[in-house]
Amino acid sequence: MAGAKVRLAGWCRGLLQGPAAVGLRPTSEVCRFKRGDYAQLSNSHLSHFERLLDRGRVITDEAELDAYNVDWFKTLKGSAKVVLKPRSTEEVSAILKYCYDENLAVVPQGGNTGVLGGATPVFDEVILSTSLMNKIIKINDIPGSIVCEAGCVLETLNSALAEHGLIMPHDLGAKGSCQIGGNISTNAGGLRLLRYGSLQANTLGLVAVKADGTILDCMNTLKKDNTGYHLKHLFIGSEGTLGVVTEVAVQCPPRPQSVTMAFLGMSSFEQALQTFRLARTMLSEILSSCEVMDAASLRLTTDTLRLRSPIPEHAFYLLIEVAGSNQGHDEDKLNTFLETAMSQGSTSDGLVTAEPSKMKDLWQLRERIPEALFKNSYAYMYDISLPHDDYYNIVPVLRERLQGSEAFAVTGFGHLGDGNLHLNICSPQFSPELLAQLEPFVFEWINERGGSVSAEHGIGFTKTQFLKYSKSEAAIRTMRQVKSLMDPRGILNPYKVLPQE
Amino acid sequence: MAGAKVRLAGWCRGLLQGPAAVGLRPTSEVCRFKRGDYAQLSNSHLSHFERLLDRGRVITDEAELDAYNVDWFKTLKGSAKVVLKPRSTEEVSAILKYCYDENLAVVPQGGNTGVLGGATPVFDEVILSTSLMNKIIKINDIPGSIVCEAGCVLETLNSALAEHGLIMPHDLGAKGSCQIGGNISTNAGGLRLLRYGSLQANTLGLVAVKADGTILDCMNTLKKDNTGYHLKHLFIGSEGTLGVVTEVAVQCPPRPQSVTMAFLGMSSFEQALQTFRLARTMLSEILSSCEVMDAASLRLTTDTLRLRSPIPEHAFYLLIEVAGSNQGHDEDKLNTFLETAMSQGSTSDGLVTAEPSKMKDLWQLRERIPEALFKNSYAYMYDISLPHDDYYNIVPVLRERLQGSEAFAVTGFGHLGDGNLHLNICSPQFSPELLAQLEPFVFEWINERGGSVSAEHGIGFTKTQFLKYSKSEAAIRTMRQVKSLMDPRGILNPYKVLPQE
């Protein structure tokens, strides 16, 4: 999705006109933010870093810096003057201790694939890149785990696990670039969460370095360890604001022997929900994905990208994947499930396939929706979670609300199994009036229904002022206290996660 | 296991002679501990509590207090003079605010089924019992979750879920008494962890009250919510020292339609491990338990309790349970697995059954081992986790080390699938010399191999001085800082989890 035009926070909307029209202006010039009271990088600092690492791992060349300063969506641009590439936990510790003593702000960065600006500098923070910390330390066949450094790329880990008959418990679109340290620091979700759970569930242990350079060894390869407070969870999903994750251990499920898919059509969301409920019961332990698309999402995708739906138009579609240890059993279960869904009337049409090329085609219909959304329009995107009863209701509500506006489409698709909806509003170009109709309305609507304003993307830089719609005042106050405890000088990833006071 | 004779920490060994010989002496008299500088309970405090709650929920009768003052193993006895029974989060908040202001120490208590003294007072702490907070608030069929108050009994929740086709993700021996708030506060493990993961993985949200009475609402029924720090994890497994959990939301898997078991014999631990590895691959998504017993454990159980093993004597036995959505498929998989294990030579003998009465008999062989251990001997018990390569090695090491000692048996059994070993040393009676041969040797041995000195039972009161064998100095220092942050006056469950400084 690099280069796509996306919606940013309203208070930062100056950025919206930036990239497309006149090239990317620095975030610090566009956003109304005050730089923290940190030291400016000096030659003496640089000399120290070169003594700590060596010249090749202290990057100051401006052209080279761009890849680290600019975010995945190419809508934010930091002004860092140096990128440091440590090779070990000890080097990370030495860097942070020095930065802490010198009052230099630091942004930890993995594969830089975050979509909310959590991994790019806002001003001139020092970038600490984990990309050279890419060693696999150990793969345990029983009961299945991997221990590695934070800079390992997700796809590399998954490939290394193949010969051990294991897989990583999570799978993301960015798997070719994203790093496991970043995944864990953002509690990344993705396609396998329905089956295997979150990274909070699958991270067995980690080593993190605190802002002052203290190495906190919470490494563990055990499934059970109830000794003291479970500190590792503080670093999972806190987006590098409480410490820099340098090594991790992740539990890895057995690699499925068979994968089979079904593509189903139905005439109402209620029926989609009934079908999902049936899948939970009948497919139970082999259900690995349950994705939903509304008619508008699929039509836009097939029309824009010249793809073909394998079944006639319906109001809703479910893409169901099962994965297990016995192809015959899995197909048997899936066929019986489909027959039941058709005879009960919750599904009108559908097909089952285990042919890899056909399964790939089916996944394209789902995975390329964002590409279609961006192709000929400006897209306001919301990545939200809602209780299933309210999962799709926001779409008709917005269609009603936006009648007469510039919006020409309101669509919804997403991980139905996880209650995670991708809500999208398309208009010919960015419109402040349309944005004002959307926000804070959407967030208030979600808040009233106990939903989450960020299901899997985190808070990063661009969503800090929306945190209050999903977390109570007392909780945010406690978060601030935890931040002060772990990083009293606030040098680690400033301006992120917690709203400015 | 109530009333059993069990090993306590060496520094508290005076307790060991207590219960059997002369009745239970108060922990405060037996242990060399200094009472914290807390206020003494006064009549004015009691009057205030009676105004807050009402007389029936402020218990001061000494005979009635015993059930709350004495722990599950009946080896610890607190000297609390009052038990408070709030009915709501708001009442818990009012109690804690008052106790915080008055500097009264408080022990939160659920079903009082903990085995390390985490839920009983050491001195005269006020007992805050959650037992009247037992409302089920909501069951969500899709995707499967339950929201309830902390005092709900695990078995009650599991029964309520049955008609929704769901189960609780964890199952414990104490399910008839233990409460969900206590389960979560201790991150309780149990029999289903191999399949469904820990309570850190399955707790969707919770409400906790901090020491000063602040209500921290981390309630959530969503599977995905990446907004800010994941504070709920601080309360899971911290044994009531950071806050009192008052409401919880737990995700609930579909109730299996079929359960089948196998009981296998093999001639070495290496073969047991090979068989488990094969089960992970061939039974994969339906594997729900993999328990191991050595010959000494089974022989002791069958001899002492007059039970019968369904197969001839072997060096090791595996009890494997599969649970799924299709009986035919599951039996098919289990039979194919057993044939492969026999033909590969990793299993010498075995049987498969889906008959409920026979499955119950098989479970008895495993579940009644502790009863057999206690029946005619004194048992030193260790609940530990180890990487699978080292899982059983401690048993022969100890047999060698203890030759010529009073110990007449060293046995090992446990949750092989989770790497969780129950190590037991039996002697005719308690012997300080034998204890000195065991400790700190066992903990050092575990520490050197990256194991955990408490797999599922927590630290509680009796294991605080062993925390250092599984957690680094920096980690323990950070834990102390977190404790100070959440409970600056240290009124919540003092003397627990963290070692005395």
Side-chain angles (χ1 to χ4, degrees):
Chain A
M1 292 205 280
K5 289 173 281 178
V6 292
R7 183 197 52 76
L8 278 171
W11 50 268
C12 232
R13 73 183 66 159
L15 284 172
L16 294 162
Q17 290 92 28
V22 294
L24 200 50
R25 286 170 58 203
T27 311
S28 56
E29 291 177 18
V30 181
C31 288
R32 293 175 229 117
F33 252 84
K34 202 178 159 303
R35 182 180 179 283
D37 193 18
Y38 303 107
Q40 303 279 351
L41 188 76
S42 69
N43 285 335
S44 144
H45 294 138
L46 285 175
S47 305
H48 184 86
F49 290 138
E50 284 175 3
R51 279 196 301 278
L52 269 183
L53 303 179
D54 59 55
R55 194 162 295 186
R57 297 190 284 132
V58 179
I59 294 165
T60 52
D61 176 76
E62 203 153 321
E64 220 179 320
L65 285 176
D66 262 7
Y68 301 88
N69 264 321
V70 177
D71 83 313
W72 185 249
F73 271 162
K74 301 205 190 310
T75 51
L76 294 166
K77 185 178 183 178
S79 308
K81 295 184 182 66
V82 66
V83 174
L84 304 177
K85 293 190 164 184
R87 279 218 177 92
S88 67
T89 298
E90 289 67 30
E91 286 186 352
V92 172
S93 167
I95 291 168
L96 288 183
K97 186 181 182 326
Y98 181 75
C99 291
Y100 192 78
D101 291 343
E102 294 291 316
N103 196 30
L104 285 164
V106 177
V107 183
Q109 188 177 93
N112 196 16
T113 59
V115 297
L116 297 171
T120 39
V122 177
F123 293 93
D124 57 345
E125 299 90 287
V126 170
I127 297 175
L128 192 161
S129 164
T130 50
S131 55
L132 294 185
M133 299 179 65
N134 53 9
K135 279 196 292 293
I136 294 175
I137 298 164
K138 194 173 182 192
I139 293 175
N140 297 301
D141 287 13
I142 308 182
S145 67
I146 193 164
V147 184
C148 65
E149 291 181 329
C152 291
V153 169
L154 177 57
E155 200 164 50
T156 310
L157 296 179
N158 213 36
S159 304
L161 288 166
E163 59 189 277
H164 296 261
L166 302 169
I167 51 168
M168 289 298 283
H170 65 300
D171 184 21
L172 310 175
K175 62 187 155 211
S177 314
C178 67
Q179 298 174 11
I180 185 67
N183 295 166
I184 285 177
S185 298
T186 53
N187 191 34
L191 297 170
R192 293 179 187 153
L193 193 135
L194 173 66
R195 174 70 167 268
Y196 301 115
S198 70
L199 282 169
Q200 288 280 12
N202 286 300
T203 303
L204 295 171
L206 53 81
V207 176
V209 183
K210 286 165 76 175
D212 66 1
T214 305
I215 297 171
L216 208 55
D217 186 350
C218 308
M219 183 47 77
N220 205 341
T221 57
L222 309 166
K223 290 184 76 157
K224 284 179 167 176
D225 173 35
N226 276 346
T227 53
Y229 304 158
H230 297 228
L231 296 177
K232 71 179 179 201
H233 293 283
L234 278 178
F235 301 100
I236 305 171
S238 55
E239 308 187 38
T241 60
L242 300 181
V244 178
V245 172
T246 58
E247 289 173 41
V248 305
V250 180
Q251 67 181 0
C252 304
R255 188 167 284 260
Q257 313 288 303
S258 79
V259 177
T260 315
M261 285 177 75
F263 191 82
L264 315 176
M266 53 277 303
S267 53
S268 70
F269 181 72
E270 188 44 49
Q271 289 182 346
L273 216 48
Q274 276 171 25
T275 308
F276 170 52
R277 187 194 302 248
L278 195 67
R280 276 280 285 176
T281 308
M282 295 189 69
L283 302 174
S284 188
E285 68 275 7
I286 59 167
L287 184 62
S288 60
S289 276
C290 184
E291 302 284 313
V292 71
M293 294 166 267
D294 62 9
S297 296
L298 190 68
R299 201 182 318 119
L300 189 77
T301 309
T302 50
D303 288 359
T304 313
L305 306 176
R306 296 170 191 267
L307 298 173
R308 211 175 60 81
S309 166
I311 61 172
E313 175 147 325
H314 285 75
F316 290 89
Y317 308 88
L318 284 190
L319 192 158
I320 287 178
E321 187 194 80
V322 297
S325 56
N326 184 307
Q327 184 82 41
H329 292 169
D330 295 357
E331 283 183 25
D332 190 13
K333 284 194 183 85
L334 197 52
N335 284 320
T336 310
F337 154 73
L338 187 53
E339 279 161 27
T340 310
M342 303 273 280
S343 72
Q344 286 185 356
S346 67
T347 294
S348 316
D349 198 356
L351 61 90
V352 167
T353 181
E355 264 186 58
S357 70
K358 287 194 178 151
M359 292 198 291
K360 199 175 162 195
D361 289 347
L362 290 181
W363 268 118
Q364 291 228 355
L365 294 175
R366 160 64 185 84
E367 288 189 316
R368 294 184 68 188
I369 298 173
E371 186 185 335
L373 285 167
F374 292 132
K375 192 142 186 173
N376 304 314
S377 66
Y378 186 88
Y380 304 75
M381 292 171 64
Y382 299 89
D383 165 46
I384 61 184
S385 275
L386 284 161
H388 280 92
D389 288 346
D390 275 312
Y391 182 86
Y392 191 75
N393 290 344
I394 183 78
V395 177
V397 163
L398 279 183
R399 282 181 185 154
E400 174 79 23
R401 181 177 171 87
L402 300 180
Q403 274 188 0
S405 77
E406 279 191 64
F408 64 82
V410 179
T411 78
F413 67 95
H415 315 289
L416 178 61
D418 306 322
N420 181 188
L421 178 74
H422 296 301
L423 167 70
N424 311 278
I425 298 89
C426 300
S427 65
Q429 62 275 317
F430 172 72
S431 151
E433 294 74 30
L434 182 50
L435 187 64
Q437 280 185 283
L438 288 169
E439 297 176 16
F441 176 80
V442 168
F443 300 117
E444 285 167 358
W445 196 94
I446 294 166
N447 172 265
E448 282 160 19
R449 283 151 189 87
S452 169
V453 299
S454 191
E456 53 182 12
H457 292 168
I459 293 295
F461 171 61
T462 60
K463 268 194 171 171
T464 57
Q465 82 280 26
F466 307 134
L467 181 60
K468 66 179 177 193
Y469 291 103
S470 284
K471 289 288 141 75
S472 70
E473 213 174 284
I476 294 174
R477 201 162 52 239
T478 303
M479 289 179 201
R480 287 194 200 284
Q481 292 172 333
V482 171
K483 169 71 179 172
S484 293
L485 175 71
M486 302 294 285
D487 177 16
R489 295 190 184 163
I491 65 153
L492 262 184
N493 219 3
Y495 325 110
K496 314 288 171 64
V497 183
L498 297 171
Q500 296 287 97
E501 281 185 285
Chain B
M1 293 204 278
K5 286 172 281 175
V6 293
R7 184 196 53 74
L8 277 170
W11 49 270
C12 232
R13 73 184 66 158
L15 283 172
L16 293 163
Q17 289 92 28
V22 294
L24 201 49
R25 286 170 61 205
T27 311
S28 57
E29 290 177 19
V30 181
C31 289
R32 296 174 226 116
F33 251 84
K34 201 178 159 302
R35 182 181 179 279
D37 193 18
Y38 303 107
Q40 304 279 352
L41 187 77
S42 68
N43 285 336
S44 142
H45 294 138
L46 284 175
S47 304
H48 183 85
F49 290 137
E50 283 176 4
R51 279 195 300 278
L52 269 183
L53 304 178
D54 59 56
R55 192 162 296 185
R57 297 191 284 132
V58 178
I59 294 163
T60 51
D61 176 75
E62 204 153 322
E64 221 178 320
L65 284 176
D66 262 5
Y68 301 88
N69 263 323
V70 177
D71 82 315
W72 184 248
F73 272 161
K74 301 207 191 308
T75 51
L76 293 167
K77 185 177 182 178
S79 309
K81 296 185 182 64
V82 66
V83 175
L84 305 177
K85 294 190 164 185
R87 279 219 177 91
S88 67
T89 298
E90 290 66 31
E91 285 186 352
V92 172
S93 167
I95 291 168
L96 287 183
K97 187 181 182 325
Y98 180 75
C99 290
Y100 192 78
D101 292 343
E102 294 291 316
N103 196 30
L104 284 165
V106 177
V107 182
Q109 188 178 93
N112 196 15
T113 60
V115 296
L116 297 170
T120 39
V122 177
F123 293 92
D124 57 343
E125 299 91 286
V126 170
I127 296 175
L128 192 160
S129 164
T130 49
S131 55
L132 294 184
M133 299 179 64
N134 54 7
K135 279 196 292 293
I136 293 176
I137 297 164
K138 196 176 181 189
I139 293 174
N140 297 300
D141 287 13
I142 309 182
S145 66
I146 192 162
V147 184
C148 65
E149 292 181 330
C152 290
V153 170
L154 177 56
E155 199 164 53
T156 309
L157 297 179
N158 212 37
S159 303
L161 288 165
E163 60 189 277
H164 296 262
L166 302 168
I167 51 168
M168 289 299 281
H170 64 302
D171 185 19
L172 310 175
K175 62 189 156 211
S177 314
C178 67
Q179 297 175 11
I180 186 67
N183 295 166
I184 285 177
S185 298
T186 52
N187 190 36
L191 297 170
R192 292 178 187 155
L193 193 136
L194 173 68
R195 174 69 166 270
Y196 301 115
S198 70
L199 282 169
Q200 287 281 11
N202 286 302
T203 304
L204 295 170
L206 52 80
V207 176
V209 183
K210 287 165 74 175
D212 66 0
T214 306
I215 296 171
L216 208 55
D217 185 351
C218 307
M219 184 44 77
N220 205 342
T221 57
L222 309 166
K223 288 184 76 154
K224 284 178 166 176
D225 174 35
N226 276 345
T227 54
Y229 305 157
H230 296 230
L231 296 178
K232 71 178 179 201
H233 294 283
L234 277 178
F235 301 100
I236 304 171
S238 54
E239 308 186 38
T241 60
L242 300 180
V244 179
V245 172
T246 57
E247 289 174 41
V248 306
V250 179
Q251 65 181 3
C252 304
R255 188 168 283 260
Q257 313 288 304
S258 79
V259 177
T260 315
M261 284 177 75
F263 191 82
L264 314 177
M266 53 276 302
S267 53
S268 71
F269 181 72
E270 187 46 48
Q271 290 182 347
L273 216 49
Q274 277 170 24
T275 308
F276 170 52
R277 188 194 302 251
L278 194 68
R280 275 281 285 177
T281 309
M282 295 189 69
L283 302 175
S284 189
E285 69 275 6
I286 58 167
L287 184 62
S288 60
S289 276
C290 182
E291 302 284 312
V292 71
M293 291 166 269
D294 61 10
S297 297
L298 189 68
R299 201 183 318 118
L300 189 77
T301 309
T302 50
D303 288 358
T304 312
L305 306 176
R306 296 171 193 266
L307 299 173
R308 212 175 58 81
S309 167
I311 60 173
E313 175 147 325
H314 285 77
F316 289 88
Y317 308 88
L318 283 189
L319 192 158
I320 288 178
E321 186 195 80
V322 298
S325 57
N326 183 307
Q327 183 85 40
H329 292 170
D330 296 356
E331 283 183 23
D332 190 13
K333 284 194 182 84
L334 196 52
N335 283 319
T336 311
F337 154 74
L338 187 53
E339 279 161 27
T340 311
M342 303 272 281
S343 72
Q344 286 185 356
S346 67
T347 294
S348 317
D349 197 357
L351 62 90
V352 168
T353 180
E355 263 185 61
S357 70
K358 287 193 178 153
M359 293 198 291
K360 201 176 161 195
D361 289 346
L362 290 180
W363 268 119
Q364 291 227 354
L365 294 176
R366 159 65 184 84
E367 289 189 316
R368 294 183 69 187
I369 298 174
E371 186 184 336
L373 285 168
F374 291 131
K375 193 141 186 174
N376 302 316
S377 66
Y378 186 87
Y380 303 76
M381 292 171 66
Y382 299 89
D383 165 45
I384 61 184
S385 275
L386 284 160
H388 280 91
D389 288 346
D390 274 311
Y391 181 86
Y392 191 74
N393 289 345
I394 183 77
V395 177
V397 163
L398 279 184
R399 282 182 186 156
E400 175 80 21
R401 182 179 171 83
L402 300 181
Q403 274 188 359
S405 76
E406 278 192 65
F408 64 82
V410 179
T411 78
F413 67 94
H415 314 291
L416 178 62
D418 305 324
N420 182 185
L421 177 75
H422 296 301
L423 167 70
N424 311 280
I425 297 90
C426 300
S427 64
Q429 64 275 315
F430 172 72
S431 150
E433 293 74 31
L434 182 50
L435 186 65
Q437 280 185 283
L438 288 170
E439 297 177 15
F441 176 80
V442 168
F443 300 118
E444 285 168 357
W445 195 95
I446 294 166
N447 172 267
E448 281 160 21
R449 284 149 189 87
S452 168
V453 298
S454 190
E456 53 182 11
H457 293 166
I459 294 295
F461 171 61
T462 59
K463 268 194 173 170
T464 58
Q465 83 279 26
F466 307 134
L467 181 59
K468 65 178 178 194
Y469 290 103
S470 283
K471 289 289 142 72
S472 70
E473 213 174 284
I476 294 174
R477 202 163 49 239
T478 304
M479 288 179 201
R480 287 195 200 282
Q481 290 172 334
V482 170
K483 170 70 179 174
S484 292
L485 175 71
M486 302 295 284
D487 177 16
R489 294 190 184 163
I491 65 153
L492 261 184
N493 218 3
Y495 326 109
K496 314 288 171 67
V497 182
L498 297 171
Q500 296 286 96
E501 281 185 287

